[in-house]
Amino acid sequence: MNSLRFNLLKEALGRKAVPVTSENRPADEFAKYVFNRETMQKYLSKYTYKTLTDSIDKSLPLNRDIADGVATGMKQWAVSMGATHYTHWFQPLTGGTAEKHDAFVEISEIGGVIEEFSGKLLVQQEPDASSFPNGGLRNTFEARGYSAWDPSSPAFVMGDTLCIPTVFISYTGEALDYKTPLLRSINALNKSATAVCNYFDANVSKVISYLGWEQEYFLVDDALYNARPDLSLTGRTLMGHESAKNQQLEDHYFGSIPTRVLAFMTDLENEALKLGVPVKTRHNEVAPNQFELAPIYEELNLANDHNLLIMSLMKKIARRHNFRVLLHEKPFKGVNGSGKHNNWSMGTDTGVNLFSPGKNDVENLQFITFLVNTMMAVYKHNGLLKASISSANNAHRLGANEAPPAIISIFLGKQVSEVLDKLEQVNTDDVIHFDGKTAIRLGVAHLPEVLLDNTDRNRTSPFAFTGNRFEFRAVGSSANCAEAMLTLNTAVANQLSVFKLEVDALIEDGMPKEKAIVTVIKSLIAKCRAISFEGNGYSEEWKAEAQKRGLDCETSVPLIFDNQLKPESLAIFENCGVLSREEIESRCEVKWEMYTKKIQIESRVLGDLAMNHIVPVASGYQSVLLDNVSKINALFSKEEAAAMASQDKIIIKAISDHIGFIIEKVAEMTEARKQANALASEREKAIAYHDTIVPLTESIRTHIDKLELIVDDRMWTLPKYRELLFIR
Ligand code: ADP
Ligand code: MG
């Protein structure tokens, strides 16, 4: 066997579980490294604490008068936890998080070094961030971008660094990150949802959005990962024939977790708990070496920070266990990819989950109101929502024969569908006042028990109602959830405002409130029915049906992004104050640019590997066969030799054909890249990469994968799927 690959396999196979560093995880270690309210109380003056928590609770900007007090307390605490540095931790549009570490020391006026961390440094920083993508919002010569603390997300200590969650905005105030518009969308939803809640309960003064994410990922042995330049440079395998066994037997899902993996998970969970992430569930996923981690749901902004934190923590801790974690949406062809289900819901400050059927008619009508408005929002903006989850990576999942399809639809379940059917038919004259005693004669009063059994969840639906929340399943595993969540929040916030206007207009005309609500709901149900689909989302019939219903069926990612610039999309972002036209336009540019770059890198890596790994190895094997044939010819009679060498000759010919194809297509691909790169517009460039380069990479791969099957295993240099997927 090729000695390098052989040695790597030996190394990987010989690994034992790395002992877990902290052996127990007592409850009192929870949030040990978080500057939460409990800790704040110890380190801040009474006045500072009260002012700070008030501004958090009321979503007000941080009062600068107390910034110094907060900074002093925060630093004192961080130092006691072993921190020597601090960083503003922000979420650039590249995905992931970015940090710039500074020591707590400053040069004093008389020249010596003093420890310092002032309110000014806490509240605002100027990372020289000209190299972060901004889609033209900030010229490179005007490199100033500001980061500013988001006090609604607590600071934490990771290693020797105090991490301060921040927003990242341009000098002129435009959002350059995900957090800023997410926070704005949370506010917008709060505002319009609270107004609608007040139809039902005047005591509601705040509506909170929640997120519970489920993070899927793959683990690969470190040694094997390092021997695959495609994995280490692009996060996925660009070649590799399917393993004879992969997920057909479905024996990995809920199978027992391998010890080496379990040790990693335990370590990860311990660290996550100390950072205040309430991790709860872990299990194997469908594909071999694929796993999932889910916490208990939290307030959306915090949950999203925690997801980002987990993603970086995973990478770090995996190394400790000689694993590499793959967050890419499709690391391996032919086996399931990874997603991140976003369980999303809204709740009031009076403790009511707005997606839970209630105890009485009023609560049930409120539930139906929020359900139907959400359906309408998703219906109206299904293309935009698809844009929010689309990327070069996620494209491998969308539309392929696995969750989710490239069409956004809603699964409601039988019971809820029936209630809506009934409601659509109801005579609004039957609607009577909410007196808490008499039924509204809608049949909705009987919802609670039924819904609890609503677990026949349709796994093929990209957006499913699961009893007390919606589950947006199309989100990619490596994505920042904020993009999907802020789009959903905005669409729903806008729809709720429209709803309120319509209901108020009817009330003004003299219609009783309850009747007005039911009247508008009825009309909404009729309008948005096209979004609900209970059948198999993977089927061909659905694609045809969805097209007929007018749902967005586009599959080209660069074209899907166009949805963001449609007038109705710009309108909701602007109406809700979430993103301005300039911000959306610049974000779109960034998306096209990122798409192009991803495909460009993949195409280059594939070209290099094809030419300097695959072709030489294949022709090396071919020359072994040629040598064999000439030796046969020398030794045997013409007739005998012809028979004996016939198989070799077939393989020799096949190798020639594959090599010839690969060399030709790699050259064609290089030329296609040149042409695409010369295009001036980011959109056109991305379209060219999608239309010409992606198909070329796929055809080159097909021939490489065929060669993998023919060439002597001992000569093959790259670890194969059966090794990457099954060794742990
Ligand atoms: P699944 O069967 O989809 O794997 P889980 O029980 O693992 O479901 O839960 C998925 C996620 O949904 C968890 O993070 C859980 O906390 C979250 N979740 C549960 N209820 C809600 C809710 N009302 N709002 C938001 N998330 C929720
Ligand atoms: Mg789920």
Side-chain angles (χ1 to χ4, degrees), residues 214 341 343 457 459 471:
E214 302 166 54
H341 294 181
N343 294 268
R457 307 196 198 153
R459 287 280 158 193
E471 197 168 326

Side-chain angles (χ1 to χ4, degrees), residues 3-4 56 65 91 118 148 215 224 334 345 354 387 409 522 567 659:
S3 64
L4 177 65
I56 295 173
D65 300 346
Q91 307 173 16
S118 65
Q215 177 74 53
L224 302 178
S345 67
L354 295 169
S409 66
K522 273 185 63 167
I659 289 181

